[in-house]
Amino acid sequence: MKKTLLWMVGLVLILSCFGGTLRAHAQAKETDVTGNWQGTLQAGQGLRIVMKITKTDGKLKGIGYSIDQGGQAIPISPITVQGTSFSYAISGLDVTYTGTLSADGKTITGNQTQNGHTAVLNYQRVTPEATWAIPEPPKAMAADAVPKFDVVTVKPSDPSRPGKLFTIHGRQIITINTTMNDMITFAYGLNVKQIVGAPDWFSSEKFDLDGVPDTEGRPNTKQFKELIQSALTQRFNLTFHHDQKELSVYALTVAKGGPKLTETIHQPNDSKNFLFRGFGQLTVTNSTMQDFCDGMQAAVMDRPVVDHTGLTKRYDFQLNWTPDDSQFAAFGPRPPAPAKEDPNAPPGLYTAIQEQLGLKLEATKAKADVIVIDHVEKPAAN
């Protein structure tokens, strides 16, 4: 934001300019940004964005919709208007926006930045009738349904393709670069140390999975896991039995001072995200503390993670930390951590969880479930 300092001499000049300043200030105060705005984010092939702004108790609130990415409601907060300057943030997605309101209050020209990448996004105020249609969210699968795959494709992963992914596109279930350890820990909510008797290839060979369930509707998280279980049975002929074993675990609790978490506006059947923008750069949306523990257990920690917070709501948050050598082993070799003397490096995980989330993660011992592998086979060609 540019600031202009006017140095004025002479009573008439002072009064004249002071009057002009008052008029400009009054005009800025009178600018009402509530209503519907839309524009195209100039990234890739372009993404249409709709922003709906309301005011409650004097505070501006917004909901954003990425029309070409399914139209899921995304909370925008805070929204700030100062004169002609307009800005907002979407904390759960590491998004910031800065723009300039036109004199007539009908357009905003500016740029949006996400994960360090900036693109042009100019908004135009529109009537409800002229607002781009927001896609209907996919119909949820019946909560009591126990889905399976009619057909599911499993193939070796492309070794040149980076990353790892579990996702749902509409009804389509997809995993990319996932090992048997990844799939079992995801499907059954386990840490890899809770898998007993697995062959060596469980940790080394990667697979891509693609299938559509035999039941209509978008599966919830529990049903997503049941579908991966189905694929493990159908394509890998996996059988196992349960047992118990005392293991070293991490317990997540609420720190002194209470949690520092933002409750989500998403519905329970909306998509949940547990996404890494890089090692130690985590975005979580629409997730419970148990979801967070499951994600940390599967992707980050070297032992099981148990939820002792007592928190039952769903939250959106970011967590940024500098990983140590014990973390992210499931992803293989990773870039070296920033030097400890680097003043710009984020803190370690345990400090970051306490400072940024108001939670604590502590090592302890507890009895934990394990699964013992009885039989498994590599999948035959599709």
Side-chain angles (χ1 to χ4, degrees):
M1 184 188 304
K2 296 183 178 179
K3 296 183 179 179
T4 304
L5 178 63
L6 300 178
W7 189 270
M8 293 165 285
V9 179
L11 180 59
V12 175
L13 185 59
I14 290 174
L15 290 175
S16 174
C17 291
F18 182 61
T21 301
L22 282 177
R23 285 192 296 274
H25 181 64
Q27 184 180 10
K29 285 186 65 177
E30 291 167 3
T31 302
D32 181 9
V33 297
T34 59
N36 293 2
W37 299 80
Q38 63 190 29
T40 300
L41 179 67
Q42 302 300 315
Q45 296 180 345
L47 295 173
R48 293 174 297 162
I49 308 296
V50 169
M51 173 174 59
K52 297 185 177 182
I53 301 177
T54 58
K55 182 180 280 189
T56 305
D57 297 329
K59 294 183 178 180
L60 293 170
K61 296 182 179 181
I63 301 294
Y65 304 86
S66 181
I67 302 301
D68 301 307
Q69 293 179 305
Q72 180 175 308
I74 302 169
I76 300 174
S77 179
I79 296 174
T80 303
V81 180
Q82 293 182 337
T84 60
S85 297
F86 177 93
S87 63
Y88 64 67
I90 304 174
S91 58
L93 298 177
D94 193 26
V95 168
T96 56
Y97 179 87
T98 55
T100 302
L101 277 162
S102 62
D104 60 9
K106 294 182 179 179
T107 62
I108 307 171
T109 57
N111 297 303
Q112 179 170 292
T113 300
Q114 182 174 22
N115 302 334
H117 301 286
T118 299
V120 172
L121 175 53
N122 298 328
Y123 283 106
Q124 181 177 10
R125 191 194 292 267
V126 290
T127 64
E129 295 75 20
T131 303
W132 290 324
I134 296 168
E136 287 289 329
K139 182 180 178 182
M141 188 177 287
D144 59 352
V146 182
K148 298 185 182 300
F149 286 114
D150 280 330
V151 177
V152 57
T153 299
V154 179
K155 62 182 181 180
S157 299
D158 179 353
S160 66
R161 187 174 187 177
K164 181 181 300 185
L165 181 68
F166 288 84
T167 191
I168 306 173
H169 288 174
R171 294 177 55 230
Q172 186 179 11
I173 304 298
I174 296 173
T175 81
I176 295 173
N177 285 344
T178 48
T179 64
M180 280 293 285
N181 281 343
D182 296 328
M183 288 185 276
I184 291 175
T185 55
F186 173 81
Y188 294 98
L190 303 173
N191 178 269
V192 68
K193 291 187 176 179
Q194 293 170 274
I195 304 174
V196 177
D200 292 342
W201 61 269
F202 264 42
S203 61
S204 59
E205 298 195 23
K206 298 179 180 180
F207 303 92
D208 295 350
L209 182 152
D210 191 334
V212 176
D214 59 1
T215 306
E216 290 297 320
R218 180 187 178 91
N220 59 29
T221 300
K222 177 176 178 290
Q223 291 163 335
F224 187 4
K225 293 182 177 184
E226 289 172 343
L227 285 162
I228 301 299
Q229 294 173 20
S230 172
L232 292 169
T233 301
Q234 289 178 245
R235 297 306 310 278
F236 293 86
N237 292 320
L238 175 68
T239 60
F240 60 85
H241 67 273
H242 291 274
D243 203 346
Q244 282 233 321
K245 186 177 180 181
E246 186 175 77
L247 297 174
S248 296
V249 302
Y250 293 106
L252 185 71
T253 59
V254 175
K256 185 177 180 180
K260 303 174 184 178
L261 299 167
T262 301
E263 189 175 346
T264 190
I265 67 164
H266 298 302
Q267 298 303 309
N269 285 332
D270 290 345
S271 296
K272 299 181 179 183
N273 288 317
F274 188 91
L275 301 174
F276 288 100
R277 308 182 306 279
F279 291 111
Q281 299 174 358
L282 174 64
T283 296
V284 176
T285 57
N286 196 27
S287 297
T288 64
M289 287 296 95
Q290 185 60 58
D291 295 329
F292 176 54
C293 288
D294 290 346
M296 294 297 288
Q297 174 176 286
V300 180
M301 308 308 292
D302 59 349
R303 62 185 73 172
V305 182
V306 294
D307 175 24
H308 289 173
T309 64
L311 302 174
T312 58
K313 295 181 179 179
R314 293 170 291 111
Y315 303 95
D316 299 340
F317 58 87
Q318 289 188 69
L319 181 63
N320 297 294
W321 78 93
T322 299
D324 63 33
D325 292 338
S326 71
Q327 297 162 15
F328 292 104
F331 288 82
R334 55 185 173 83
K340 290 184 179 179
E341 61 271 15
D342 180 357
N344 297 316
L349 176 62
Y350 307 100
T351 300
I353 283 180
Q354 187 158 348
E355 291 179 349
Q356 299 169 28
L357 306 183
L359 306 174
K360 288 179 68 176
L361 192 63
E362 297 179 304
T364 185
K365 287 200 172 226
K367 280 278 189 181
D369 289 325
V370 298
I371 63 171
V372 182
I373 305 300
D374 295 322
H375 178 80
V376 68
E377 301 171 9
K378 294 183 183 181
N382 297 289

